[in-house]
Amino acid sequence: KTREDIPLMNENHETTIPGIFIAGELGGLSLIRNAIEQGKRVVSTIAERAEKTTDSQIYDVIIIGAGPAGLSAALTAKQHQLAYRIFDQQDIGGTILQYPRQKLVMTRPVEIPLYGKIEKTELSKEYLLEMWQEIIEKQEINIDTRVSLSAIQKTNDIFQVQTSEGNFYARQVVLAMGRRGTPRKLEVPGEELAKVAYQLIDAQSYQHKHLLVVGGGDSAVEAAVGLGRQPGNKVTVSYRKDKFFRIKKKNEDRCNEMISSKKITALFNSQVLEIKEKSVVIKTEEGTVDIPNDFVFIFAGGVPPFQMLKEMGIQFG
């Protein structure tokens, strides 16, 4: 309650706007088990107080985010026969999608609505994503992916949820989105090309490629090192400052070692000007260069959702 980046909530995870609830890492706890429990709890609270909607244009609950909290909330909504809709600005899985390949993501048993208890004490990222997909298909949970939230307004106890796909209406809203927000873009020509990504899921998928990593923080350096270790890759790092910024010592050592062995080329004080189909144009201290390129990974940080939530009227600690 004392942190400025944590929304104020009551014991039911309801925000200072009655009817808007938070589940998952947006509330400050990022454990998957907690997210699943919170998703269940908030929708159970909604179900207790819900007058079932009779207007087909108004949902009982709209859920923002299809990570563990959002999926748990959607399953609980179905369990209670609530009319629901779930949106995510990325794909199913939420923060789990950002995890490295084979990362162990859960270490304690947990109960999932309409599925049962997971007794296994160690689950990999891949196992968990496959399990969610299986549950979604079996329970016929419809999820709108690649849909971003822009605002929520309340009028006469009905919420208007404004998204990139239009406006939707609900009696209650669950915010199960992450804290990272929307990836910050470079705003350069060609950034919309399919070869541009804002996260690296699996370095082993890229071999014998020309790769550009943009950024100088831990995420960028870890991606560059991971890509540099794969056979045949030529990895370039472009960073606007004159050295890597506040990165972990082990990351700095690994990266410097790979720069020395020519597995990574570091372009400090540089700036990407344009992304083309087969190359990238970069402004460097020596002048502008046009280098071969197959994929671009941009790690320029994210635009957290906090300002948007404050504009809705949600108060923070």
Side-chain angles (χ1 to χ4, degrees):
K1 290 184 178 179
T2 59
R3 275 177 53 178
E4 291 179 11
D5 62 342
I6 303 291
L8 290 173
M9 297 175 286
N10 64 17
E11 66 279 4
N12 294 319
H13 293 270
E14 193 168 17
T15 68
T16 49
I17 299 177
I20 297 184
F21 295 78
I22 284 174
E25 69 169 30
L26 188 60
L29 288 174
S30 58
L31 290 175
I32 291 172
R33 186 171 177 277
N34 288 341
I36 291 169
E37 293 295 341
Q38 287 175 14
K40 281 194 288 190
R41 199 178 314 141
V42 297
V43 176
S44 295
T45 300
I46 288 168
E48 283 172 17
R49 57 166 84 158
E51 298 171 24
K52 295 274 176 36
T53 186
T54 51
D55 186 337
S56 60
Q57 299 299 306
I58 301 173
Y59 295 95
D60 292 315
V61 58
I62 285 178
I63 301 156
I64 307 295
L71 292 171
S72 174
L75 288 164
T76 307
K78 180 166 185 182
Q79 202 171 34
H80 289 284
Q81 299 180 323
L82 299 178
Y84 71 92
R85 191 87 180 247
I86 177 168
F87 299 103
D88 196 291
Q89 68 174 7
Q90 296 185 71
D91 287 313
I92 295 159
T95 308
I96 301 171
L97 289 171
Q98 330 285 339
Y99 293 158
R101 195 165 174 260
Q102 295 299 323
K103 177 181 170 73
L104 294 175
V105 293
M106 277 179 58
T107 54
R108 291 175 68 187
V110 66
E111 181 112 15
I112 294 180
L114 298 177
Y115 180 79
K117 195 166 189 179
I118 302 173
E119 295 288 359
K120 287 180 78 169
T121 55
E122 285 194 345
L123 299 180
S124 70
K125 164 191 167 173
E126 287 75 12
Y127 181 93
L128 199 55
L129 288 174
E130 276 178 32
M131 186 194 70
W132 280 124
Q133 201 61 54
E134 181 191 317
I135 295 168
I136 289 161
E137 287 170 13
K138 187 177 177 184
Q139 297 298 334
E140 298 179 333
I141 304 294
N142 294 319
I143 300 170
D144 296 272
T145 57
R146 308 281 168 182
V147 178
S148 55
L149 173 70
S150 53
I152 297 175
Q153 293 181 339
K154 189 176 187 180
T155 310
N156 298 330
D157 291 334
I158 300 296
F159 292 101
Q160 182 191 66
V161 180
Q162 299 169 17
T163 77
S164 54
E165 291 296 309
N167 297 336
F168 300 87
Y169 299 88
R171 297 187 186 282
Q172 320 264 341
V173 176
V174 175
L175 299 177
M177 57 227 263
R179 297 174 61 78
R180 295 165 186 247
T182 308
R184 189 171 278 115
K185 300 195 173 184
L186 300 181
E187 307 293 348
V188 298
E191 194 171 2
E192 74 287 346
L193 291 172
K195 70 175 190 173
V196 178
Y198 299 88
Q199 61 192 39
L200 175 63
I201 305 299
D202 180 14
Q204 292 180 13
S205 302
Y206 304 90
Q207 298 182 0
H208 305 284
K209 302 292 183 188
H210 291 276
L211 304 158
L212 174 68
V213 176
V214 182
D218 279 308
S219 298
V221 170
E222 285 166 12
V225 168
L227 292 166
R229 285 178 172 158
Q230 306 310 314
N233 282 343
K234 292 189 183 303
V235 181
T236 303
V237 178
S238 169
Y239 190 41
R240 57 194 170 84
K241 297 185 179 179
D242 60 0
K243 61 180 180 181
F244 295 122
F245 184 66
R246 288 185 187 166
I247 61 172
K248 293 171 188 158
K249 178 86 168 55
K250 66 176 183 179
N251 283 339
E252 188 171 19
D253 291 345
R254 283 174 189 159
C255 193
N256 286 336
E257 191 181 303
M258 296 185 85
I259 291 169
S260 299
S261 62
K262 303 284 194 290
K263 290 186 176 176
I264 294 175
T265 301
L267 299 176
F268 293 109
N269 294 316
S270 69
Q271 185 181 349
V272 177
L273 299 179
E274 185 180 0
I275 300 167
K276 301 179 182 178
E277 286 283 357
K278 296 291 181 187
S279 68
V280 283
V281 181
I282 303 175
K283 180 183 176 185
T284 73
E285 291 177 302
E286 282 75 44
T288 301
V289 296
D290 192 330
I291 62 172
N293 175 262
D294 297 303
F295 294 96
V296 177
F297 298 93
I298 298 169
F299 297 92
V303 182
F306 309 138
Q307 188 56 40
M308 176 175 63
L309 300 186
K310 287 174 182 173
E311 285 169 5
M312 292 176 196
I314 293 172
Q315 292 175 25
F316 282 68

